C-alpha cells in the first residue's frame, strides 16, 4: 500500500517551497525507497522459513483444510505480520510489531484526503465545480473541499464496516480509473499550456516529443487497461 501514497506529493506541488528542486527527486526517491523497503521486509519474513517450507504449507492448509490447521495450531490469517511475529522470541515485542502494522492505514488514508481535497479545489478554481468549493482558510487550506473529503471518508468507513462488496469494488476501480485522465493531461500539457510546462521539473524530448507526453501516453494506456 505504500505504493499508493508517495506520488501524491505531486498534488501539493503548489504548496511546496521549491517544487522544481524537490518534487522530482522526492517522487523518484520515494519509489526507490519504497521498493527497497518492501524487498527487505518480504525477504526477512520469507528467508527463515525457506528450508522448512512452512509458509507454503500454512497457506495451503488455511485455504483448503482449515480444520486440519486448527487441530495443529491457532487459526490465523496468513500475513506478513503473522510470519514476522512468529520469528521474534519475545512475545511482547512480537505483539508490538503486529500492532504497529495497523499504522499502514495512515500511510495512504491521510495523503488520499489531502490529494482529493486539492483535486476538488482545482476543479472549482477552473469552474468545473461550484465556486464555493474553492474557499480557503487564512493559512491557504481548502477548507470546504477538505470537509467534503472527510464526509466521503466516513461514508466509505461504513461501506467497509457493513461489507457492501459491490460498492467497495466500484470505489476501488474508480480510484484507479482517473489515472488515464491524468495521463492525457500530461500528453497535452506541453502543447496546450506551454507556460505551465516550462515550470515542470521534467524537460527534454525524445523523437521530437516531450518526455512528459511519452510518460503521459503510457499512463493513459495503463489507466484504460
Amino acid at each position: 500500500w505504500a505504493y499508493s501514497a508517495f506520488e501524491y506529493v505531486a498534488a501539493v506541488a503548489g504548496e511546496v517551497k521549491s517544487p522544481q528542486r524537490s518534487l522530482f527527486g522526492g517522487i523518484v526517491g520515494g519509489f526507490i525507497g519504497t521498493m527497497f523497503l518492501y524487498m527487505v521486509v518480504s525477504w526477512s519474513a520469507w528467508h527463515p522459513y525457506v528450508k522448512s517450507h512452512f509458509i507454503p504449507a500454512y497457506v495451503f492448509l488455511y485455504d483448503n483444510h482449515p480444520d486440519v490447521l486448527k487441530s495443529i495450531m491457532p487459526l490465523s490469517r496468513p500475513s506478513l505480520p503473522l510470519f514476522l511475529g512468529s520469528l521474534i522470541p519475545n512475545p511482547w515485542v512480537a505483539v508490538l510489531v503486529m500492532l504497529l502494522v495497523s499504522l499502514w492505514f495512515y500511510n495512504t488514508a491521510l495523503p488520499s484526503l489531502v490529494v482529493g481535497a486539492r483535486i476538488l479545489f482545482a476543479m472549482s478554481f477552473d469552474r468545473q465545480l461550484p465556486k464555493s468549493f474553492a474557499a480557503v482558510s487564512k493559512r491557504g487550506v481548502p477548507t470546504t473541499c477538505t470537509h467534503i473529503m472527510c464526509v466521503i471518508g466516513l461514508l466509505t468507513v461504513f461501506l467497509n464496516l457493513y461489507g457492501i462488496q459491490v460498492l467497495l469494488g466500484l470505489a476501488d476501480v474508480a480510484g484507479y480509473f482517473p489515472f488515464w485522465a491524468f495521463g492525457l493531461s500530461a500528453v497535452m500539457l506541453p502543447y496546450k499550456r506551454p507556460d505551465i510546462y516550462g515550470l515542470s521539473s521534467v524537460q527534454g524530448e525524445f523523437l521530437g516529443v516531450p518526455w512528459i507526453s511519452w510518460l503521459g501516453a503510457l499512463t493513459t494506456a495503463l489507466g484504460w487497461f
Side-chain angles (χ1 to χ4, degrees):
W1 278 91
Y3 275 112
S4 63
F6 72 88
E7 80 280 6
Y8 287 174
V9 68
V12 293
E15 301 168 51
V16 177
K17 188 175 182 180
S18 53
Q20 285 185 308
R21 183 184 65 186
S22 57
L23 189 60
F24 186 75
I27 292 178
V28 174
F31 178 82
I32 295 174
T34 302
M35 180 173 64
F36 178 76
L37 178 63
Y38 266 46
M39 292 172 63
V40 169
V41 173
S42 299
W43 178 85
S44 65
W46 177 265
H47 182 72
Y49 294 112
V50 169
K51 292 183 179 179
S52 66
H53 303 290
F54 172 74
I55 292 180
Y58 185 94
V59 175
F60 174 80
L61 289 176
Y62 182 89
D63 289 339
N64 299 280
H65 304 285
D67 52 332
V68 176
L69 180 59
K70 197 172 183 180
S71 66
I72 301 173
M73 59 189 297
L75 192 64
S76 298
R77 187 175 184 178
S79 65
L80 196 63
L82 171 66
F83 299 132
L84 280 175
S86 301
L87 296 171
I88 301 174
N90 188 314
W92 291 106
V93 176
V95 170
L96 178 62
V97 168
M98 298 180 73
L99 289 175
L100 288 175
V101 173
S102 64
L103 295 178
W104 72 263
F105 285 107
Y106 295 94
N107 182 69
T108 301
L110 293 180
S112 296
L113 185 148
V114 171
V115 171
R118 268 62 182 178
I119 292 175
L120 290 177
F121 174 81
M123 294 177 68
S124 174
F125 200 78
D126 291 337
R127 300 300 182 263
Q128 295 177 336
L129 289 175
K131 185 179 178 180
S132 58
F133 281 37
V136 297
S137 68
K138 293 180 179 179
R139 297 184 178 182
V141 177
T143 51
T144 302
C145 296
T146 302
H147 294 156
I148 292 173
M149 288 302 303
C150 287
V151 172
I152 294 175
L154 289 173
L155 289 175
T156 57
V157 168
F158 284 103
L159 290 177
N160 188 64
L161 179 64
Y162 292 104
I164 307 176
Q165 297 299 325
V166 173
L167 293 178
L168 285 173
L170 287 173
D172 200 20
V173 174
Y176 287 100
F177 184 72
F179 279 109
W180 76 266
F182 292 145
L184 190 60
S185 298
V187 171
M188 300 171 62
L189 182 64
Y191 307 102
K192 300 291 287 186
R193 292 300 302 270
D195 53 327
I196 297 179
Y197 171 67
L199 301 174
S200 171
S201 58
V202 180
Q203 300 289 336
E205 297 182 351
F206 177 69
L207 299 178
V209 178
W211 272 111
I212 196 170
S213 296
W214 284 109
L215 297 174
L218 176 61
T219 302
T220 303
L222 290 174
W224 272 108
F225 175 78

